Amino acid sequence: MPDAFHNSSARYPPPKCHLGTRKDYIALVTDWALGVSDHKEPILWMRGPFGVGKSAVAQSCAEALAPINKLAATLFFSRSGTDRDDPRRIFTSIAYQVAAICPSFREIVDRCMIDDPALATKSLSTQFEDLLVHPLARVNITESDLDGRVVIIDGLDECRGTAAQCEVIEVIATSARKRTTPFLWFITSRPEDAIIRMMNSVTVSPVCSRIELPVSRAIDHEILTYLTDEFKKIRESYSLPESWPSEEVLALLVERGAGLWIYVATVIRFIRDENSYGPKDQLCIVLEFMKGVSTKTGVDSPLAEMDFFYILIMQRIPLRLRTTVRKILLLYSLCNLVPVDIANILGLSAEQFCHACASIQSVMELQDTRLAFMKIHFYHASFLDFMMDPGRSEELCICGDFLIGYRRELLAWLHEACSRSTDIISPEAESCADHYSCVMLCFWRLCEVPAHQLDPQTAMSVVDFPFNKMFGLIPDSFLSFINADLVRYNFPANLRDKIIRKDKCPIPGCANTKKVWIWGHGENELVPSQRKGGFMAMNNGDPPAGKCICQVQY
């Protein structure tokens, strides 16, 4: 996961502690890494709620340890990053970074991968043993300068899957107990129940020391330092007077920030927004907003006020554009699609896509201006958490009614496309095939979303869908997996067998006796290429000689 490394271009500029802030926590971690701390355990776990600056502390520690050769590897997880939450690539990524600094280790790991190319796909414990433990046992640790180097794993709670998070902790703790690797492990996370239980278990607790990073008013002076410096930069960029903003305004911003770094950082990005009438006007909007929410939130309630600020950001988007922005967020967060596919589905040019995203640049940025290479980067996972929680974002939520409505919209378009049969991919409109493929994949991905069962109206429309035409309209190069179990579970029980079921292959002459996934029923029936847990969305074409399509595995 190169995008998750502390010095990757995908994270640039990375969140890190403002000069002169969080010095106590940075010193605590670096002293532990150097062996001059009261914390002697090989695992150091920093926990804290969203927005308190855990990633910034971890980044600052990485930048402090790297120049003195005390850093082994780093991983900064992010749910809002499409390539930064995969648990299967944790230990491969760590091994890669260790190999980059240790030639003797690199030679051993190279040979391991040549001998067993499938090693990177094996279980986490197997990867750890074969890519780290065994190679390190053949390296002179003292001469290699690997002893006591730190591996930083930031945002473990944003790694995909609770079970995987717990397994990572267990594998690392086992190594720490048995001293099978020479590393120290610095892990940060939100205080999620599963992670807390794992860290407090009898097998992990003896080798793990803890730091809490709370929401605290004790850092008001640090927040004031940050705001003062950031406003100075804004003044210099816009030639504003030294008196702006007033000391009273700075004090109010510190007061309302109430110890939550993400709040004040988002406020600064909002004030700096270039798609506005300028920073003075943006600051006035912030101050009016604070007056409006002062009666709605309790004393020192920055988490609630953060939600109100996210609402302000979304409500300032013009209504027509707001719907597009919500669809972009929906397709990105729930369908895991990249910008070029999202733009394809929504029929947006690169310029239109950039313009839509510019309206929320306080919370996200687009990396690269070329649509084919573009990536979306959210400054903090809390924004997508907010947008997916109807209890917080209310009518702005991208789940619930909005998701249901968009699924209906996509399904209606697919019905129309299939009714036109192969006309959609005529040579004079070749791009329509890609559009159709992306829309089709998007619809089924939205049907996979847990806890969002299809409503009866949409489900009945799917029952009548011409599945037998569905894959014939996509290009031969298109290939994507659909999770059959999740899709089936999200349909009403009385309709599931008419939409997706497991049964004996109905194709005449098929000798396969095993049950396979079948889409649709009657004359609309389709047998796709199979895969464990589901099937491939692809143009089936002609199967290999002597095989039925149901026996084609991917």
Side-chain angles (χ1 to χ4, degrees), residues 319-384:
L319 188 58
R320 182 183 174 190
L321 189 60
R322 190 188 307 163
T323 300
T324 299
V325 170
R326 291 171 73 194
K327 287 180 179 178
I328 291 172
L329 296 174
L330 175 67
L331 296 176
Y332 179 83
S333 59
L334 295 182
C335 296
N336 201 28
L337 296 175
V338 296
V340 64
D341 289 336
I342 296 173
N344 192 339
I345 292 168
L346 299 178
L348 300 175
S349 66
E351 183 181 2
Q352 290 170 324
F353 186 85
C354 290
H355 180 70
C357 291
S359 62
I360 53 171
Q361 64 179 358
S362 300
V363 294
M364 65 157 281
E365 68 169 340
L366 288 179
Q367 297 172 338
D368 208 308
T369 56
R370 299 164 296 174
L371 194 55
F373 303 96
M374 197 176 288
K375 290 185 177 181
I376 293 175
H377 168 64
F378 286 91
Y379 295 113
H380 201 272
S382 61
F383 177 69
L384 286 180

Side-chain angles (χ1 to χ4, degrees), residues 22-30 46 57 61 186 211-214 219:
R22 292 303 204 206
K23 291 186 292 185
D24 291 348
Y25 286 100
I26 296 170
L28 194 155
V29 177
T30 53
M46 175 181 284
V57 171
C61 291
F186 177 43
I211 307 172
E212 185 171 2
L213 194 63
I219 63 167

Side-chain angles (χ1 to χ4, degrees), residues 109-156:
V109 171
D110 278 349
R111 175 51 55 187
C112 289
M113 291 303 301
I114 291 170
D115 293 343
D116 185 2
L119 182 56
T121 67
K122 295 184 177 179
S123 69
L124 293 183
S125 58
T126 301
Q127 286 184 31
F128 191 88
E129 290 292 317
D130 291 350
L131 288 175
L132 288 169
V133 174
H134 296 160
L136 286 166
R138 297 166 57 189
V139 170
N140 186 315
I141 298 300
T142 303
E143 289 184 5
S144 65
D145 196 27
L146 292 178
D147 193 28
R149 287 201 183 220
V150 179
V151 176
I152 296 177
I153 299 177
D154 176 69
L156 181 60

Side-chain angles (χ1 to χ4, degrees), residues 30-61:
T30 53
D31 286 350
W32 162 78
L34 295 172
V36 293
S37 163
D38 292 336
H39 299 282
K40 302 300 182 183
E41 294 80 1
I43 300 174
L44 183 63
W45 173 41
M46 175 181 284
R47 66 180 185 182
F50 92 81
V52 294
K54 298 182 296 297
S55 295
V57 171
Q59 178 71 29
S60 295
C61 291

Side-chain angles (χ1 to χ4, degrees), residues 63-267:
E63 293 183 6
L65 294 172
I68 58 173
N69 298 325
K70 290 298 290 183
L71 191 66
T74 57
L75 280 178
F76 286 75
F77 284 109
S78 173
R79 285 195 306 276
S80 58
T82 55
D83 201 34
R84 289 172 51 195
D85 69 344
D86 189 350
R88 297 168 301 178
R89 291 191 284 165
I90 293 177
F91 298 130
T92 56
S93 296
I94 292 171
Y96 171 86
Q97 292 176 80
V98 175
I101 60 175
C102 181
S104 58
F105 177 85
R106 177 166 64 244
E107 291 174 7
I108 297 168
V109 171
D110 278 349
R111 175 51 55 187
C112 289
M113 291 303 301
I114 291 170
D115 293 343
D116 185 2
L119 182 56
T121 67
K122 295 184 177 179
S123 69
L124 293 183
S125 58
T126 301
Q127 286 184 31
F128 191 88
E129 290 292 317
D130 291 350
L131 288 175
L132 288 169
V133 174
H134 296 160
L136 286 166
R138 297 166 57 189
V139 170
N140 186 315
I141 298 300
T142 303
E143 289 184 5
S144 65
D145 196 27
L146 292 178
D147 193 28
R149 287 201 183 220
V150 179
V151 176
I152 296 177
I153 299 177
D154 176 69
L156 181 60
D157 57 288
E158 298 195 36
C159 172
R160 194 187 317 147
T162 302
Q165 296 166 15
C166 294
E167 186 178 359
V168 168
I169 297 170
E170 184 175 22
V171 168
I172 291 172
T174 299
S175 173
R177 285 198 315 274
K178 297 179 178 179
R179 300 185 180 278
T180 58
T181 56
F183 305 129
L184 299 174
W185 303 83
F186 177 43
I187 301 172
T188 78
S189 77
R190 297 189 197 183
E192 304 289 356
D193 288 344
I195 295 178
I196 292 174
R197 284 197 301 273
M198 199 69 201
M199 291 297 192
N200 290 338
S201 66
V202 293
T203 56
V204 179
S205 184
V207 292
C208 179
S209 187
R210 295 156 180 77
I211 307 172
E212 185 171 2
L213 194 63
V215 179
S216 171
R217 298 304 300 267
I219 63 167
D220 278 2
H221 64 290
E222 296 186 353
I223 287 180
L224 177 59
T225 299
Y226 167 76
L227 289 171
T228 301
D229 291 348
E230 291 302 310
F231 275 117
K232 181 181 178 182
K233 295 175 186 176
I234 295 172
R235 283 199 304 271
E236 291 172 350
S237 296
Y238 288 86
S239 300
L240 296 173
E242 287 284 332
S243 58
W244 182 89
S246 67
E247 291 185 6
E248 290 79 11
V249 167
L250 284 173
L252 178 62
L253 292 175
V254 171
E255 177 70 22
R256 302 309 287 271
L260 193 67
W261 278 107
I262 184 62
Y263 181 82
V264 291
T266 306
V267 166

